[in-house]
Amino acid sequence: MDTNIIGRPLNRKDGHLKVTGAALYATDHQREGQAYACAAHSEIASGELLAVDATATLALPGVLTVLHALDAPKLFRCPESLNVGERRPPFEDNRIYYAGQILALVVAESFEVARHGAQLLELKYKEDEQVSLDFERDLREGKIEQTDASSRGQAAEAFDRGHARIDATYETPVGIHCAMELHGAVAWWEEERLVVEDSTQWVVGQSKALANTFGLPESDVEVRSRFVGGGFGGKLFLWSPSILAAEASRVVGRPVQFSLDRRGQFTSAGHRPRTRQRLRLAADEDGHLVSLRHEAVNQTSQVDQYEESCPDVSASLYQCPNVSISQGVVRSHVGTPTPMRGPGETPGLWALESALDELAVELKIDPLELRLRNVAQRDEAKDLPWSINLHERCLREAAARFGWSQRNPEVGSMREGSEVIGWGIASTSWAAMRSSATVTVDLLQSGKARISCATQDIGTGTYTVFAQMVKELTGLPFDSIEVRIGNSRLPTGPISGGSMVTATVVPAIAEATEKAIDALLDLAVAEDGPFAGSDKKSLRMVGGKLCSRSGGASRSIGEVLESKRLSFVSGKGEASPGEEQERYSFRSFGAHCAEVRWDAGLGRLRVSRVTSVIDSGRIINLDTASNQVYGAIVMGVGMALLEESVYDKRTGRPVTDNLADYLVPVMTDCPEIDLSLLNVPDPHIGKLGARGIGEVGLTGVAPAIGNAVYHATGKRIRTLPIRMEDLMG
Amino acid sequence: MKPFHYERASTVEEACSMSTESEESCFLAGGTTLIDLLKLNVMRPAKVVDVRNVDMDTVDLLEDGGILIGANVRNSDLAWHQKVRRDYQALSEALLSGASPQLRNMATVAGNVMQRARCPYFRDNYSPCNKRSPGSGCAALGGYARSHAVLGTSEHCIATHPSDMCVALAAFEAKVRVEGLAGTRDIPFSDFHLLPGDRPDREHAIDPGELITGVVLPPNVEGASSVYLKSRDRASYEFALASAAVSFALVEGRIAAARIALGGVATKPWRAFEAENCLEGNEPSSELYEEAAALAMEGAITQPDNAYKVPLARGLIVRALAIARERVEAQV
């Protein structure tokens, strides 16, 4: 196989469409006769909806109808085996479980009228006296439901015998995905068939979930999502906007557009839940871990039990004979949480990697050295050998590139003008998963290729990577390869989550392309074929044409197909995790080094520099892969220093529910980033050895920054985000 | 958003008479505050009078050496105006530290003077808020008040005045020029914004039907240098958690014409008169700066979330004074 293409930084296939505004996102779609919906959200966090007075709303010219919990056709729930955002469909009953819950929907001729109509609705409530909004109080009162626990060895006894010990509690706040594109959809019905222009990370799942919700056969639902303006996990599963657009369309008999507003994103479309995690570590004199206990609790909603699974990573990342981990949840009057980039491991590593830094200080061992001494030789949690583990190489290379050897370990010892500088290091990691995919590749009479798979591009470069694979195997020009994804009716493909798409689909594309070429070869060597009588094995495809390995004339795809008067030949590829999963453990590793600068007089804390070295197997496209890690590092800066969705403890309402008050990093907050992707193929994960890269860039960033803050200031901040007031005084 | 009547004025007189025809009217200039609040249904005017076509978008030099800034001058244009960059450096720096380039290209001087509170409880449209709904209470008290004011507060309102530009204008002793059907008057900057007291809904000393047509800046004191420092969590596009505009000159080694104004910590653009008096006539030193900074923050009333603002603002004042001194000395 000619490998000129794989690994190269090719421009995005969809780049031109996006920068010129020609790419149509979900709610950009305009259907004839389209109506618009706007939601009214609950102002209370717990209680009952008693009445909806829609008199003023219905009197507005242009209002078509008002749907609400007291007067709406009942929708069905999805089975437990199918992941959805919130299990309870909208309007199921008149109970109010969280502030911001959608209680009514106004459908009108225009967006403006719908919004005005929603503001005019008068909702009458009965507010409950018992409201659980205070996580700290709930924890104090022990309202924890244990959901998961596992152990090996004797962690408690080993802790007591440890030479150095750390017992500390870490917290992470509610995080909001803050995708630029809101959750929204345009839905319409064609007879009994539902079509939704949607924004989702999983067209297949969205289609199944809508079929269940409306009691339709799956074949009667089509979900399209050609472009997604950011997901970060927030669009993995079905949330109410798609349901409500479809429901409103069914009621008014017209296409309906419905989108949450920015405020709605803070209550009604998932979030990374608040966590509290207790870490107890013990090491021997040489810095080898002898005991690790990681107990985590996360907040969940009244209607769903969402587990953030923080401690799982702690059981495998380092070598330790005595480990015990547990996870619990506390129910609260908040919306249902959902995965957010690096779910579990991102808050989990905040705790583990901060605690390791504390242990290094206690042991007076360099924090890089402490990690090197504890690199896991095998996955002790799964009791399997690693497929490949380049953790040590990542740590060493990151430290070398960053200049770690120049670090003065003394707190506050590195200064420049009015700034004190801190350097911190942390490991980063993500379990490498695969799921199943079916792909078809067609070679067309026009000389082009077409690849089809019901997966989607959430902005990470899926269009480009798929085309690159076909180009690699056929030699066709990039522009001659059409990538058809983002439609649930295509051959079933994977969810864009868990960094799985590339690892899952790449082997299937390879198989499908090879089969399509093989089918073309069969035609070529058949009677009346251009290479009649030749041995298939003597031919090969070069530059999109067939030719003999010994030279001579070449024939285009079109010429071969013409010999049989065919429009195309197809190949189908199927890939799914195989027996390798039972023989090896798959995980991506990396290391981040961060530099922070703190100016006490200005209350200014900034991340000035991050060096990251990451192993995520073979890199298919250097640009789109690097782009994901750059974005992840910036997201990590936000997690470390800025992001927190604050709720008013008295009312349970989000207070920072917009992009001026919920702070995400802006360009000037972006550190100088030095990134190296090792690009070593995973020997066992499947053809080409590519693992995903969406998560691994993020998981260890915040602790690297937190550890740098400690090095600069001597203050160990265990609760995110780290703010100026934590460091003052 | 509640539907409203929209009219476009082309002269000051036309704008004023259009405005007085309706009790619930407001002027539209850059729209960067008003349109947000209309969409949130927090402001519900019956009529919006668009004054963007009224001819008041120049910066004119005055005979006394000061300038008259037209009400419609865009924040970006003012920030990069040559005279402003030279003589009123803190104003240029304050403008450029505010919002984003896109917003600064839209926002006008008068609009910025009239900017409304960023208190989340004011903007959410359902919490008790004496500013939005007089007599309903103040949800920020006892709520999440990390960004709220510690100076000039009352038991009825602790919302911070969000403007950066106004802090510099306060330091330069600007006057706000308003015109109405009854005539023209100049309101000293420190009288223009009202303390919340028991009527937080009343924010300005401007009468119904009056239109801001400009801001008058007196000539800066000879030899004076100024600076604007702003502290916030992220590096750009965030309201001040604390800010300081300072200006002074040195006469025979002693501080003259000291001006200190604070932002992000008070319910209005805040002049620290006592701190200025403490500096006047003394030789600059870090001890003196510390003393002035302490005086500036004396009497601050803090909430559990915003107590950090007192040391933060003190630190900013000290640093700003040190930078101003460097600038004064660099002039010589």
Side-chain angles (χ1 to χ4, degrees):
Chain A
M1 182 160 73
D2 113 51
T3 51
N4 295 332
I5 311 305
I6 297 302
R8 277 184 47 197
L10 282 187
N11 281 344
R12 285 171 185 269
K13 238 182 135 42
D14 48 343
H16 190 263
L17 287 175
K18 285 184 174 171
V19 298
T20 57
L24 289 185
Y25 289 79
T27 55
D28 291 336
H29 289 272
Q30 292 274 344
R31 305 288 300 181
E32 201 182 326
Q34 183 167 311
Y36 297 80
C38 187
H41 298 258
S42 175
E43 295 175 7
I44 66 167
S46 174
E48 279 176 30
L49 178 68
L50 296 180
V52 176
D53 183 350
T55 315
T57 304
L58 290 167
L60 276 185
V63 169
L64 299 171
T65 191
V66 176
L67 305 174
H68 56 79
L70 304 174
D71 178 27
K74 290 292 171 269
L75 299 166
F76 298 99
R77 288 190 173 210
C78 290
E80 294 288 335
S81 56
L82 181 60
N83 272 322
V84 292
E86 193 175 294
R87 188 69 52 190
R88 172 190 178 277
F91 306 156
E92 187 177 73
D93 55 42
N94 72 334
R95 286 292 310 163
I96 294 165
Y97 300 96
Y98 58 92
Q101 182 177 324
I102 294 177
L103 298 180
L105 193 75
V106 176
V107 190
E109 295 287 351
S110 74
F111 169 74
E112 289 76 12
V113 172
R115 191 170 165 100
H116 185 209
Q119 286 166 343
L120 287 177
L121 284 176
E122 285 190 35
L123 307 177
K124 292 192 176 56
Y125 308 107
K126 179 166 148 286
E127 204 165 348
D128 287 349
E129 278 167 29
Q130 284 296 319
V131 185
S132 319
L133 301 163
D134 190 334
F135 188 52
E136 282 126 20
R137 196 187 60 202
D138 291 343
L139 288 176
R140 270 199 312 276
E141 294 174 3
K143 295 181 180 165
I144 303 169
E145 297 168 41
Q146 285 300 325
T147 55
D148 204 12
S150 68
S151 64
R152 60 175 183 263
Q154 302 291 332
E157 290 79 350
F159 181 81
D160 293 339
R161 291 195 307 271
H163 168 72
R165 288 189 286 255
I166 293 296
D167 181 353
T169 299
Y170 304 86
E171 293 188 48
T172 60
V174 169
I176 302 293
H177 305 78
C178 290
M180 287 296 284
E181 183 199 23
L182 303 162
H183 283 70
V186 175
W188 67 94
W189 296 77
E190 295 173 354
E191 305 294 331
E192 297 300 304
R193 189 171 161 269
L194 172 63
V195 187
V196 185
E197 288 286 356
D198 214 328
S199 179
T200 174
Q201 295 176 243
W202 193 23
V203 286
V204 172
Q206 194 87 339
S207 156
K208 282 182 201 289
L210 284 167
N212 278 283
T213 304
F214 288 95
L216 300 169
E218 270 181 47
S219 55
D220 281 0
V221 180
E222 178 179 348
V223 171
R224 303 173 183 171
S225 196
R226 270 195 77 199
F227 302 104
V228 179
F232 312 111
K235 293 171 184 165
L236 288 171
F237 308 129
L238 178 68
W239 292 98
S240 61
S242 315
I243 300 173
L244 291 174
E247 175 64 0
S249 172
R250 182 162 76 169
V251 172
V252 300
R254 293 162 57 169
V256 171
Q257 183 211 87
F258 172 58
S259 171
L260 290 177
D261 61 8
R262 184 57 67 184
R263 183 183 277 176
Q265 296 290 138
F266 284 78
T267 55
S268 312
H271 57 265
R272 177 194 282 146
R274 194 166 167 185
T275 73
R276 176 176 289 191
Q277 306 171 57
R278 183 177 183 194
L279 255 290
R280 276 173 288 183
L281 302 180
D284 64 18
E285 285 170 24
D286 298 327
H288 296 114
L289 285 170
V290 295
S291 173
L292 187 162
R293 276 177 288 175
H294 190 164
E295 299 156 35
V297 184
N298 69 267
Q299 215 174 18
T300 188
S301 66
Q302 297 290 336
V303 289
D304 290 282
Q305 181 174 302
Y306 176 84
E307 292 162 50
E308 182 66 16
S309 306
C310 302
D312 289 3
V313 62
S314 294
S316 336
L317 183 53
Y318 295 104
Q319 191 158 293
C320 181
N322 304 296
V323 172
S324 124
I325 61 171
S326 72
Q327 178 71 43
V329 297
V330 166
R331 288 190 187 272
S332 194
H333 285 100
V334 295
T336 297
T338 208
M340 179 162 148
R341 207 172 194 178
E345 302 202 6
T346 302
L349 282 185
W350 161 247
L352 176 64
E353 290 293 315
S354 298
L356 271 179
D357 204 64
E358 299 202 46
L359 185 63
V361 171
E362 186 74 22
L363 285 160
K364 298 191 174 61
I365 293 179
D366 183 283
L368 164 67
E369 183 56 34
L370 179 67
R371 287 171 174 84
L372 289 171
R373 287 183 195 175
N374 288 286
V375 162
Q377 301 306 313
R378 55 190 276 114
D379 184 341
E380 293 178 329
K382 289 186 178 167
D383 196 20
L384 286 174
W386 298 112
S387 171
I388 183 171
N389 179 338
L390 301 178
H391 189 187
E392 179 180 339
R393 188 175 150 194
C394 291
L395 285 162
R396 289 191 192 283
E397 286 194 24
R401 293 173 79 106
F402 187 76
W404 187 260
S405 60
Q406 304 301 306
R407 179 179 182 263
N408 181 341
E410 194 187 326
V411 162
S413 60
M414 295 164 64
R415 289 178 179 272
E416 207 174 282
S418 58
E419 291 179 329
V420 54
I421 296 168
W423 286 2
I425 191 167
S427 298
T428 195
S429 181
W430 180 251
M433 295 175 278
R434 275 179 78 192
S435 71
S436 309
T438 304
V439 170
T440 59
V441 170
D442 305 326
L443 299 173
L444 310 180
Q445 202 274 336
S446 60
K448 297 185 172 181
R450 180 170 61 205
I451 170 169
S452 306
C453 181
T455 186
Q456 48 286 311
D457 189 333
I458 57 171
T460 51
T462 306
Y463 280 108
T464 312
V465 165
F466 283 18
Q468 237 173 315
M469 280 298 298
V470 175
K471 179 173 165 58
E472 171 89 28
L473 296 163
T474 61
L476 282 166
F478 207 45
D479 291 341
S480 296
I481 300 161
E482 183 196 354
V483 180
R484 298 184 69 216
I485 56 177
N487 189 308
S488 61
R489 297 169 72 83
L490 295 167
T492 301
I495 188 169
S496 296
S499 303
M500 287 191 293
V501 170
T502 300
T504 301
V505 184
V506 158
I509 298 174
E511 185 190 350
T513 311
E514 281 159 5
K515 284 187 178 166
I517 294 171
D518 197 57
L520 192 72
L521 289 169
D522 282 337
L523 297 177
V525 299
E527 262 180 74
D528 0 312
F531 293 97
S534 300
D535 181 357
K536 263 199 318 190
K537 292 188 180 113
S538 72
L539 301 177
R540 61 182 186 143
M541 191 164 226
V542 178
K545 293 179 175 178
L546 291 184
C547 62
S548 165
R549 288 178 191 274
S550 54
S554 63
R555 293 279 188 249
S556 70
I557 296 169
E559 285 173 278
V560 177
L561 290 170
E562 181 57 31
S563 67
K564 295 285 183 192
R565 311 270 313 137
L566 295 177
S567 59
F568 63 89
V569 283
S570 272
K572 180 168 147 186
E574 287 175 291
S576 51
E579 46 91 42
E580 79 279 358
Q581 300 288 326
E582 277 128 53
R583 291 194 288 132
Y584 300 101
S585 178
F586 296 86
R587 184 168 272 281
S588 289
F589 297 92
H592 298 292
C593 294
E595 175 182 279
V596 301
R597 288 165 178 262
W598 164 242
D599 185 324
L602 297 177
R604 189 174 68 197
L605 177 64
R606 300 282 183 262
V607 182
S608 45
R609 198 156 69 87
V610 172
T611 295
S612 301
V613 176
I614 287 171
D615 165 40
S616 69
R618 164 106 65 173
I619 301 302
I620 307 290
N621 183 319
L622 184 62
D623 269 2
T624 57
S626 304
N627 179 247
Q628 288 220 55
V629 181
Y630 290 140
I633 290 167
V634 174
M635 201 167 182
V637 170
M639 177 183 172
L641 305 186
L642 300 171
E643 297 184 42
E644 178 180 15
S645 183
V646 178
Y647 295 81
D648 188 302
K649 277 184 197 169
R650 302 162 301 182
T651 62
R653 295 173 187 152
V655 184
T656 54
D657 58 357
N658 57 73
L659 295 180
D661 295 319
Y662 181 96
L663 302 175
V664 295
V666 295
M667 285 306 289
T668 37
D669 292 300
C670 297
E672 181 189 325
I673 297 171
D674 171 33
L675 170 65
S676 167
L677 303 173
L678 294 185
N679 197 14
V680 175
D682 187 303
H684 302 295
I685 202 163
K687 199 153 186 162
L688 287 185
R691 297 194 299 266
I693 198 162
E695 263 97 348
V696 65
L698 172 65
T699 55
V701 176
I705 292 169
N707 296 340
V709 168
Y710 172 79
H711 180 231
T713 65
K715 293 215 158 74
R716 179 66 66 181
I717 309 303
R718 301 188 180 91
T719 298
L720 289 179
I722 301 168
R723 290 200 161 130
M724 62 175 82
E725 55 264 43
D726 301 327
L727 306 179
M728 287 169 64
Chain B
M1 183 178 347
K2 191 183 111 178
F4 51 82
H5 293 283
Y6 170 86
E7 290 179 30
R8 184 179 292 177
S10 50
T11 65
V12 174
E13 298 70 38
E14 205 174 39
C16 293
S17 54
M18 282 173 175
S19 161
T20 41
E21 282 160 16
S22 165
E23 273 186 26
E24 299 168 73
S25 78
C26 57
F27 294 115
L28 171 71
T32 55
T33 291
L34 178 62
I35 290 176
D36 271 11
L37 293 175
L38 289 174
K39 286 200 260 185
L40 293 170
N41 218 23
V42 169
M43 289 180 73
R44 306 171 193 185
K47 186 197 268 189
V48 170
V49 179
D50 187 338
V51 297
R52 285 177 296 180
N53 283 357
V54 179
D55 185 15
M56 41 187 189
D57 56 1
T58 55
V59 178
D60 300 320
L61 303 184
L62 301 177
E63 280 181 8
D64 67 356
I67 54 174
L68 170 62
I69 306 160
N72 280 347
V73 172
R74 307 281 157 173
N75 282 187
S76 322
D77 291 332
L78 185 60
W80 294 104
H81 190 276
Q82 224 174 359
K83 167 99 171 158
V84 171
R85 294 188 72 193
R86 194 182 62 228
D87 291 353
Y88 306 98
Q89 196 172 349
L91 176 58
S92 179
E93 290 172 348
L95 284 160
L96 292 177
S97 76
S100 64
Q102 292 88 343
L103 283 164
R104 295 196 293 269
N105 288 342
M106 289 296 289
T108 66
V109 168
N112 197 317
V113 168
M114 296 293 287
Q115 194 173 354
R116 303 207 64 192
R118 281 293 315 190
C119 174
Y121 300 102
F122 167 68
R123 290 167 66 90
D124 73 15
N125 218 21
Y126 41 61
S127 295
C129 173
N130 292 320
K131 190 180 274 302
R132 170 169 37 74
S133 178
S136 60
C138 173
L141 285 165
Y144 181 68
R146 180 173 183 263
S147 65
H148 286 72
V150 297
L151 292 170
T153 58
S154 75
E155 60 188 11
H156 303 285
C157 182
I158 58 169
T160 307
H161 194 275
S163 170
D164 292 298
M165 184 195 78
C166 289
V167 180
L169 290 181
F172 290 122
E173 305 206 304
K175 292 189 170 73
V176 182
R177 179 160 293 174
V178 299
E179 294 183 35
L181 297 177
T184 301
R185 60 191 180 115
D186 286 350
I187 306 173
F189 210 78
S190 44
D191 297 339
F192 185 84
H193 297 96
L194 306 178
L195 288 172
D198 56 4
R199 286 296 303 275
D201 56 309
R202 286 167 36 180
E203 297 176 345
H204 318 98
I206 195 167
D207 290 330
E210 280 185 322
L211 175 69
I212 298 175
T213 58
V215 170
V216 182
L217 277 186
N220 204 355
V221 174
E222 179 126 359
S225 280
S226 65
V227 62
Y228 184 75
L229 281 188
K230 174 173 178 178
S231 188
R232 46 185 158 180
D233 301 302
R234 67 180 168 193
S236 169
Y237 195 34
E238 187 187 350
F239 294 96
L241 293 171
S243 72
V246 310
S247 171
F248 66 79
L250 281 179
V251 178
E252 290 167 359
R254 291 175 184 275
I255 292 175
R259 301 274 183 276
I260 299 178
L262 302 176
V265 292
T267 53
K268 60 178 267 186
W270 192 260
R271 267 292 285 283
F273 292 106
E274 287 176 32
E276 293 173 1
N277 290 339
C278 153
L279 294 171
E280 285 289 337
N282 287 312
E283 288 178 15
S285 71
S286 346
E287 295 73 28
L288 182 68
Y289 302 160
E290 295 279 358
E291 195 186 332
L295 275 174
M297 297 312 292
E298 219 173 56
I301 297 172
T302 61
Q303 311 297 321
D305 297 328
N306 71 4
Y308 74 97
K309 286 195 170 190
V310 176
L312 177 64
R314 282 205 303 257
L316 280 178
I317 294 168
V318 169
R319 184 72 64 85
L321 288 167
I323 295 171
R325 181 186 179 181
E326 283 169 24
R327 288 182 179 176
V328 170
E329 285 170 351
Q331 279 186 15
V332 181

